[in-house]
Amino acid sequence: MILHILNRPPSSSLTYREALASMGPEDRLLLIEDGVLGALPSQVRHFESVTGRLFALREDLAARGLDGHCDAAVQVVDVDGFVQLTEEADKTVSWS
Amino acid sequence: MHDRDTQLGGDVLVILRHPPHGSSWLREGLDAALVAAAFGQAVSLLFMGDGVMALAGGQGQGPLGQKGTAPTLDMLAMYDIEALYLESGALSALGLNRDALQLPAQPLEAADIANLIAAHRLVLTF
Amino acid sequence: MRYALLVQGPPYSRQAAHSALRFARALLARGHTLESVFFYHDGVYNAARLAAPPQDEPHLVDAWRALHDEHGTRLQVCIAAALRRGLLDEREASRHGKTGHSVEPPFELTGLGQLIDLGLGCDRLVTFSP
């Protein structure tokens, strides 16, 4: 399993398409920084292909007033959980 | 035929996602690839998204004499970097033809890109 | 596990360096080792010794230095990327005939080969780009 990390929102950047195209069937995707906008109910459809493997960073949501506003399909992790995701992955790939 | 073409594997995969001239991403990504190769690692390059523009023929210097990256592409073979891949959808999205490329690269579909990433120990995205 | 971070974002105008620092602290808190933070692309600006942010804002240069002091983390800066952006230590400043220097220990100017070594030698390399 590879952890992909995305810091761009799907509303203004197509980087998410490159991240999704590069993901294997077990890989996970973590949204950080402006990428957490993708966790909103209005945006999460862009990540349908990785349902169940989609994560968002709590601290970046909270700083933007978005904690608690995520779609239910998104698993929210704090930075400790971010580290844990990297422990569980064979390697990480960052998309910006 | 290089056996890496069929096996997709290697030590270091450098993914190049930015076109030449507009930023230093492409140049600094290529530098990382050259250094990895100079250190004896098996290096693969994947040109993705607008990064496929790096392969376009007929590139020149910037208006102030900025070097661009076309000359660096010519050096890849010297560094034994022969595993070159491109995202097949990216070429057609830009209306580019494979025949017009400065260097040949093997087109990959999405599933192959995931395999390519999985088959390298280190993946760097620029 | 042995971690290394690659930081490619500048210290102030983008979030990447802050994300990297937060991640660094969290991995250390989980008992891992942070071998090195490697600065490349605009990330080299994190080594600017003259950075003087307002007192009520995070001071990234000091925070990186604290990582080194408290955990032995190396702070490695790509020399080619740094020189182009005016980031020179004392030795490079004198070599290039400059009157001042902009990088000081514990930041060390080093070759890009170090990044490859870290990426292949550590258990995890995590990249933070702008």
Short mmCIF file of all heavy atoms in Angstrom, two decimals, chain A residues 12-60:
data_model
loop_
_atom_site.label_atom_id
_atom_site.label_comp_id
_atom_site.label_asym_id
_atom_site.label_seq_id
_atom_site.Cartn_x
_atom_site.Cartn_y
_atom_site.Cartn_z
N SER A 12 -10.02 23.92 -7.90
CA SER A 12 -9.19 24.86 -8.66
C SER A 12 -7.94 24.23 -9.27
O SER A 12 -7.17 24.93 -9.91
CB SER A 12 -8.77 26.03 -7.76
OG SER A 12 -8.00 25.56 -6.69
N SER A 13 -7.73 22.95 -9.05
CA SER A 13 -6.52 22.32 -9.57
C SER A 13 -6.83 20.91 -10.06
O SER A 13 -7.59 20.18 -9.41
CB SER A 13 -5.45 22.27 -8.49
OG SER A 13 -4.46 21.30 -8.81
N LEU A 14 -6.25 20.53 -11.18
CA LEU A 14 -6.47 19.19 -11.72
C LEU A 14 -5.45 18.18 -11.20
O LEU A 14 -5.44 17.03 -11.63
CB LEU A 14 -6.43 19.22 -13.25
CG LEU A 14 -7.53 20.05 -13.92
CD1 LEU A 14 -7.40 20.02 -15.43
CD2 LEU A 14 -8.91 19.54 -13.50
N THR A 15 -4.60 18.61 -10.27
CA THR A 15 -3.59 17.69 -9.74
C THR A 15 -4.22 16.42 -9.18
O THR A 15 -3.64 15.33 -9.27
CB THR A 15 -2.77 18.39 -8.64
OG1 THR A 15 -2.14 19.54 -9.21
CG2 THR A 15 -1.70 17.48 -8.08
N TYR A 16 -5.44 16.55 -8.63
CA TYR A 16 -6.08 15.36 -8.03
C TYR A 16 -6.25 14.25 -9.06
O TYR A 16 -6.20 13.07 -8.72
CB TYR A 16 -7.42 15.74 -7.39
CG TYR A 16 -8.56 15.94 -8.35
CD1 TYR A 16 -9.46 14.91 -8.62
CD2 TYR A 16 -8.73 17.15 -9.01
CE1 TYR A 16 -10.50 15.09 -9.52
CE2 TYR A 16 -9.77 17.33 -9.90
CZ TYR A 16 -10.65 16.31 -10.16
OH TYR A 16 -11.66 16.48 -11.05
N ARG A 17 -6.43 14.64 -10.33
CA ARG A 17 -6.60 13.62 -11.36
C ARG A 17 -5.32 12.81 -11.54
O ARG A 17 -5.36 11.61 -11.77
CB ARG A 17 -6.98 14.27 -12.70
CG ARG A 17 -8.36 14.86 -12.71
CD ARG A 17 -8.78 15.18 -14.13
NE ARG A 17 -10.00 15.95 -14.17
CZ ARG A 17 -10.48 16.54 -15.25
NH1 ARG A 17 -9.80 16.45 -16.40
NH2 ARG A 17 -11.59 17.22 -15.21
N GLU A 18 -4.18 13.50 -11.47
CA GLU A 18 -2.90 12.79 -11.59
C GLU A 18 -2.69 11.88 -10.39
O GLU A 18 -2.20 10.75 -10.54
CB GLU A 18 -1.75 13.80 -11.74
CG GLU A 18 -1.79 14.49 -13.09
CD GLU A 18 -0.80 15.64 -13.22
OE1 GLU A 18 0.21 15.65 -12.51
OE2 GLU A 18 -1.06 16.53 -14.06
N ALA A 19 -3.07 12.36 -9.22
CA ALA A 19 -2.93 11.52 -8.03
C ALA A 19 -3.81 10.28 -8.16
O ALA A 19 -3.36 9.15 -7.94
CB ALA A 19 -3.31 12.32 -6.78
N LEU A 20 -5.07 10.47 -8.55
CA LEU A 20 -5.99 9.33 -8.66
C LEU A 20 -5.54 8.35 -9.74
O LEU A 20 -5.61 7.13 -9.55
CB LEU A 20 -7.41 9.83 -8.96
CG LEU A 20 -8.12 10.59 -7.83
CD1 LEU A 20 -9.47 11.11 -8.29
CD2 LEU A 20 -8.28 9.71 -6.59
N ALA A 21 -5.05 8.89 -10.85
CA ALA A 21 -4.60 8.02 -11.94
C ALA A 21 -3.42 7.17 -11.53
O ALA A 21 -3.16 6.12 -12.12
CB ALA A 21 -4.24 8.87 -13.17
N SER A 22 -2.70 7.62 -10.50
CA SER A 22 -1.48 6.93 -10.09
C SER A 22 -1.69 5.95 -8.95
O SER A 22 -0.75 5.35 -8.46
CB SER A 22 -0.44 7.96 -9.66
OG SER A 22 -0.24 8.90 -10.69
N MET A 23 -2.94 5.83 -8.50
CA MET A 23 -3.19 5.01 -7.32
C MET A 23 -3.55 3.56 -7.67
O MET A 23 -4.38 3.32 -8.54
CB MET A 23 -4.32 5.63 -6.48
CG MET A 23 -3.87 6.92 -5.78
SD MET A 23 -5.19 7.70 -4.82
CE MET A 23 -5.49 6.46 -3.56
N GLY A 24 -2.92 2.63 -6.98
CA GLY A 24 -3.26 1.22 -7.10
C GLY A 24 -4.50 0.91 -6.27
O GLY A 24 -4.97 1.76 -5.49
N PRO A 25 -5.05 -0.30 -6.42
CA PRO A 25 -6.32 -0.65 -5.77
C PRO A 25 -6.29 -0.64 -4.24
O PRO A 25 -7.34 -0.56 -3.61
CB PRO A 25 -6.64 -2.05 -6.31
CG PRO A 25 -5.35 -2.57 -6.87
CD PRO A 25 -4.55 -1.39 -7.28
N GLU A 26 -5.10 -0.75 -3.64
CA GLU A 26 -5.00 -0.72 -2.18
C GLU A 26 -4.53 0.63 -1.64
O GLU A 26 -4.54 0.87 -0.43
CB GLU A 26 -4.00 -1.80 -1.69
CG GLU A 26 -4.28 -3.21 -2.18
CD GLU A 26 -5.57 -3.75 -1.60
OE1 GLU A 26 -5.84 -3.49 -0.42
OE2 GLU A 26 -6.32 -4.40 -2.37
N ASP A 27 -4.07 1.50 -2.53
CA ASP A 27 -3.44 2.75 -2.11
C ASP A 27 -4.44 3.67 -1.40
O ASP A 27 -5.64 3.60 -1.64
CB ASP A 27 -2.84 3.48 -3.31
CG ASP A 27 -1.62 2.76 -3.87
OD1 ASP A 27 -1.23 1.73 -3.28
OD2 ASP A 27 -1.08 3.22 -4.89
N ARG A 28 -3.88 4.53 -0.54
CA ARG A 28 -4.71 5.49 0.19
C ARG A 28 -4.36 6.91 -0.22
O ARG A 28 -3.25 7.19 -0.65
CB ARG A 28 -4.46 5.33 1.70
CG ARG A 28 -4.92 3.99 2.25
CD ARG A 28 -4.41 3.79 3.66
NE ARG A 28 -4.99 2.62 4.30
CZ ARG A 28 -4.63 2.18 5.50
NH1 ARG A 28 -3.67 2.81 6.18
NH2 ARG A 28 -5.20 1.12 6.02
N LEU A 29 -5.35 7.80 -0.04
CA LEU A 29 -5.15 9.20 -0.37
C LEU A 29 -5.44 10.06 0.85
O LEU A 29 -6.51 9.97 1.45
CB LEU A 29 -6.07 9.61 -1.53
CG LEU A 29 -5.97 11.07 -2.00
CD1 LEU A 29 -4.58 11.35 -2.59
CD2 LEU A 29 -7.05 11.39 -3.04
N LEU A 30 -4.47 10.90 1.22
CA LEU A 30 -4.65 11.82 2.34
C LEU A 30 -4.68 13.25 1.82
O LEU A 30 -3.77 13.69 1.11
CB LEU A 30 -3.49 11.67 3.34
CG LEU A 30 -3.44 12.70 4.47
CD1 LEU A 30 -4.63 12.56 5.41
CD2 LEU A 30 -2.13 12.60 5.26
N LEU A 31 -5.75 13.98 2.17
CA LEU A 31 -5.88 15.39 1.78
C LEU A 31 -5.31 16.26 2.89
O LEU A 31 -5.69 16.12 4.06
CB LEU A 31 -7.35 15.74 1.55
CG LEU A 31 -8.13 14.83 0.59
CD1 LEU A 31 -9.61 15.24 0.54
CD2 LEU A 31 -7.51 14.85 -0.80
N ILE A 32 -4.38 17.15 2.52
CA ILE A 32 -3.82 18.07 3.50
C ILE A 32 -3.86 19.49 2.93
O ILE A 32 -4.14 19.70 1.75
CB ILE A 32 -2.37 17.71 3.92
CG1 ILE A 32 -1.39 17.93 2.75
CG2 ILE A 32 -2.28 16.29 4.43
CD1 ILE A 32 0.08 17.89 3.16
N GLU A 33 -3.56 20.47 3.79
CA GLU A 33 -3.51 21.89 3.39
C GLU A 33 -4.79 22.24 2.61
O GLU A 33 -5.88 21.83 3.00
CB GLU A 33 -2.22 22.15 2.59
CG GLU A 33 -0.97 21.80 3.43
CD GLU A 33 0.34 21.96 2.68
OE1 GLU A 33 0.33 22.35 1.50
OE2 GLU A 33 1.39 21.69 3.28
N ASP A 34 -4.67 22.98 1.50
CA ASP A 34 -5.87 23.35 0.74
C ASP A 34 -6.57 22.12 0.15
O ASP A 34 -7.73 22.21 -0.27
CB ASP A 34 -5.50 24.31 -0.41
CG ASP A 34 -5.11 25.70 0.11
OD1 ASP A 34 -5.39 25.99 1.30
OD2 ASP A 34 -4.55 26.48 -0.67
N GLY A 35 -5.87 21.01 0.11
CA GLY A 35 -6.47 19.78 -0.39
C GLY A 35 -7.70 19.34 0.40
O GLY A 35 -8.56 18.64 -0.12
N VAL A 36 -7.79 19.77 1.68
CA VAL A 36 -8.92 19.33 2.51
C VAL A 36 -10.26 19.84 1.99
O VAL A 36 -11.31 19.32 2.35
CB VAL A 36 -8.75 19.72 4.01
CG1 VAL A 36 -7.52 19.07 4.60
CG2 VAL A 36 -8.72 21.23 4.18
N LEU A 37 -10.23 20.86 1.14
CA LEU A 37 -11.50 21.32 0.54
C LEU A 37 -12.18 20.18 -0.22
O LEU A 37 -13.40 20.16 -0.37
CB LEU A 37 -11.26 22.50 -0.41
CG LEU A 37 -10.67 23.79 0.17
CD1 LEU A 37 -10.68 24.90 -0.86
CD2 LEU A 37 -11.42 24.23 1.41
N GLY A 38 -11.37 19.25 -0.70
CA GLY A 38 -11.92 18.11 -1.43
C GLY A 38 -12.76 17.18 -0.57
O GLY A 38 -13.48 16.33 -1.08
N ALA A 39 -12.68 17.36 0.76
CA ALA A 39 -13.43 16.50 1.68
C ALA A 39 -14.85 17.02 1.92
O ALA A 39 -15.66 16.35 2.55
CB ALA A 39 -12.69 16.39 3.01
N LEU A 40 -15.14 18.22 1.41
CA LEU A 40 -16.49 18.77 1.59
C LEU A 40 -17.51 17.95 0.79
O LEU A 40 -17.20 17.43 -0.28
CB LEU A 40 -16.52 20.23 1.11
CG LEU A 40 -15.70 21.22 1.96
CD1 LEU A 40 -15.67 22.59 1.30
CD2 LEU A 40 -16.30 21.32 3.36
N PRO A 41 -18.73 17.85 1.31
CA PRO A 41 -19.76 17.07 0.61
C PRO A 41 -19.94 17.51 -0.86
O PRO A 41 -20.24 16.69 -1.72
CB PRO A 41 -21.02 17.36 1.43
CG PRO A 41 -20.52 17.68 2.79
CD PRO A 41 -19.21 18.39 2.59
N SER A 42 -19.75 18.79 -1.14
CA SER A 42 -19.94 19.28 -2.51
C SER A 42 -18.80 18.86 -3.44
O SER A 42 -18.92 18.96 -4.66
CB SER A 42 -20.03 20.80 -2.49
OG SER A 42 -18.81 21.35 -1.99
N GLN A 43 -17.67 18.44 -2.89
CA GLN A 43 -16.48 18.16 -3.70
C GLN A 43 -16.11 16.68 -3.73
O GLN A 43 -15.35 16.24 -4.60
CB GLN A 43 -15.27 18.93 -3.13
CG GLN A 43 -15.45 20.42 -3.08
CD GLN A 43 -15.54 21.01 -4.47
OE1 GLN A 43 -14.79 20.62 -5.37
NE2 GLN A 43 -16.48 21.91 -4.67
N VAL A 44 -16.60 15.92 -2.77
CA VAL A 44 -16.06 14.59 -2.53
C VAL A 44 -16.34 13.63 -3.70
O VAL A 44 -15.66 12.62 -3.85
CB VAL A 44 -16.59 14.03 -1.19
CG1 VAL A 44 -18.01 13.50 -1.32
CG2 VAL A 44 -15.65 12.98 -0.61
N ARG A 45 -17.29 13.99 -4.57
CA ARG A 45 -17.58 13.14 -5.74
C ARG A 45 -16.34 12.93 -6.61
O ARG A 45 -16.22 11.92 -7.30
CB ARG A 45 -18.71 13.75 -6.57
CG ARG A 45 -18.32 15.06 -7.23
CD ARG A 45 -19.46 15.66 -8.06
NE ARG A 45 -19.05 16.83 -8.81
CZ ARG A 45 -18.90 18.04 -8.27
NH1 ARG A 45 -19.14 18.25 -6.99
NH2 ARG A 45 -18.50 19.06 -9.03
N HIS A 46 -15.43 13.89 -6.59
CA HIS A 46 -14.21 13.76 -7.39
C HIS A 46 -13.35 12.58 -6.94
O HIS A 46 -12.49 12.11 -7.67
CB HIS A 46 -13.38 15.04 -7.30
CG HIS A 46 -14.05 16.25 -7.86
ND1 HIS A 46 -14.37 16.36 -9.19
CD2 HIS A 46 -14.49 17.39 -7.27
CE1 HIS A 46 -14.97 17.53 -9.41
NE2 HIS A 46 -15.06 18.17 -8.25
N PHE A 47 -13.60 12.12 -5.71
CA PHE A 47 -12.77 11.06 -5.15
C PHE A 47 -13.52 9.73 -5.01
O PHE A 47 -13.12 8.87 -4.24
CB PHE A 47 -12.21 11.52 -3.79
CG PHE A 47 -11.36 12.75 -3.88
CD1 PHE A 47 -11.89 13.99 -3.54
CD2 PHE A 47 -10.07 12.69 -4.37
CE1 PHE A 47 -11.12 15.14 -3.65
CE2 PHE A 47 -9.29 13.83 -4.49
CZ PHE A 47 -9.82 15.06 -4.13
N GLU A 48 -14.58 9.60 -5.80
CA GLU A 48 -15.40 8.38 -5.74
C GLU A 48 -14.59 7.11 -5.92
O GLU A 48 -14.85 6.09 -5.30
CB GLU A 48 -16.48 8.44 -6.83
CG GLU A 48 -17.87 8.62 -6.28
CD GLU A 48 -18.88 8.93 -7.38
OE1 GLU A 48 -18.55 8.73 -8.57
OE2 GLU A 48 -19.99 9.37 -7.03
N SER A 49 -13.58 7.17 -6.80
CA SER A 49 -12.83 5.96 -7.12
C SER A 49 -11.99 5.45 -5.95
O SER A 49 -11.48 4.34 -5.99
CB SER A 49 -11.92 6.21 -8.33
OG SER A 49 -10.97 7.21 -8.03
N VAL A 50 -11.83 6.26 -4.90
CA VAL A 50 -11.04 5.81 -3.75
C VAL A 50 -11.87 5.81 -2.47
O VAL A 50 -11.34 5.97 -1.36
CB VAL A 50 -9.74 6.64 -3.56
CG1 VAL A 50 -8.81 6.40 -4.73
CG2 VAL A 50 -10.04 8.13 -3.41
N THR A 51 -13.16 5.64 -2.62
CA THR A 51 -14.05 5.57 -1.44
C THR A 51 -13.55 4.50 -0.47
O THR A 51 -13.18 3.40 -0.89
CB THR A 51 -15.49 5.23 -1.88
OG1 THR A 51 -15.94 6.27 -2.75
CG2 THR A 51 -16.43 5.16 -0.68
N GLY A 52 -13.52 4.87 0.81
CA GLY A 52 -13.02 3.95 1.83
C GLY A 52 -11.52 4.06 2.03
O GLY A 52 -10.96 3.53 2.98
N ARG A 53 -10.86 4.76 1.11
CA ARG A 53 -9.39 4.93 1.20
C ARG A 53 -9.02 6.41 1.19
O ARG A 53 -7.92 6.78 0.84
CB ARG A 53 -8.71 4.21 0.03
CG ARG A 53 -8.96 2.69 0.05
CD ARG A 53 -8.28 2.01 -1.12
NE ARG A 53 -9.04 2.10 -2.35
CZ ARG A 53 -8.52 2.40 -3.53
NH1 ARG A 53 -7.25 2.63 -3.64
NH2 ARG A 53 -9.28 2.45 -4.61
N LEU A 54 -10.01 7.24 1.55
CA LEU A 54 -9.83 8.70 1.50
C LEU A 54 -9.75 9.27 2.92
O LEU A 54 -10.63 9.02 3.75
CB LEU A 54 -11.00 9.32 0.73
CG LEU A 54 -10.98 10.84 0.56
CD1 LEU A 54 -9.76 11.28 -0.25
CD2 LEU A 54 -12.26 11.31 -0.12
N PHE A 55 -8.72 10.03 3.18
CA PHE A 55 -8.47 10.61 4.49
C PHE A 55 -8.28 12.13 4.37
O PHE A 55 -7.92 12.61 3.30
CB PHE A 55 -7.21 10.00 5.13
CG PHE A 55 -7.30 8.50 5.33
CD1 PHE A 55 -7.07 7.63 4.27
CD2 PHE A 55 -7.61 7.97 6.58
CE1 PHE A 55 -7.15 6.25 4.45
CE2 PHE A 55 -7.69 6.60 6.76
CZ PHE A 55 -7.46 5.73 5.69
N ALA A 56 -8.55 12.84 5.46
CA ALA A 56 -8.28 14.28 5.47
C ALA A 56 -7.68 14.65 6.82
O ALA A 56 -8.01 14.05 7.85
CB ALA A 56 -9.56 15.07 5.22
N LEU A 57 -6.80 15.63 6.80
CA LEU A 57 -6.06 15.99 8.02
C LEU A 57 -6.86 16.97 8.89
O LEU A 57 -7.23 18.06 8.45
CB LEU A 57 -4.71 16.61 7.61
CG LEU A 57 -3.70 16.81 8.73
CD1 LEU A 57 -3.37 15.49 9.43
CD2 LEU A 57 -2.42 17.43 8.18
N ARG A 58 -7.12 16.54 10.12
CA ARG A 58 -8.00 17.30 11.02
C ARG A 58 -7.48 18.72 11.26
O ARG A 58 -8.25 19.69 11.23
CB ARG A 58 -8.15 16.58 12.36
CG ARG A 58 -9.09 17.30 13.33
CD ARG A 58 -9.21 16.61 14.69
NE ARG A 58 -9.60 15.22 14.60
CZ ARG A 58 -10.84 14.78 14.35
NH1 ARG A 58 -11.80 15.65 14.16
NH2 ARG A 58 -11.10 13.50 14.30
N GLU A 59 -6.20 18.88 11.53
CA GLU A 59 -5.67 20.20 11.86
C GLU A 59 -5.89 21.19 10.71
O GLU A 59 -6.16 22.38 10.94
CB GLU A 59 -4.17 20.12 12.18
CG GLU A 59 -3.86 19.48 13.53
CD GLU A 59 -3.76 17.96 13.47
OE1 GLU A 59 -4.18 17.37 12.45
OE2 GLU A 59 -3.26 17.37 14.45
N ASP A 60 -5.77 20.71 9.47
CA ASP A 60 -5.95 21.60 8.33
C ASP A 60 -7.43 21.92 8.11
O ASP A 60 -7.78 23.01 7.65
CB ASP A 60 -5.31 20.99 7.07
CG ASP A 60 -3.79 21.09 7.11
OD1 ASP A 60 -3.27 21.91 7.89
OD2 ASP A 60 -3.11 20.35 6.37
#
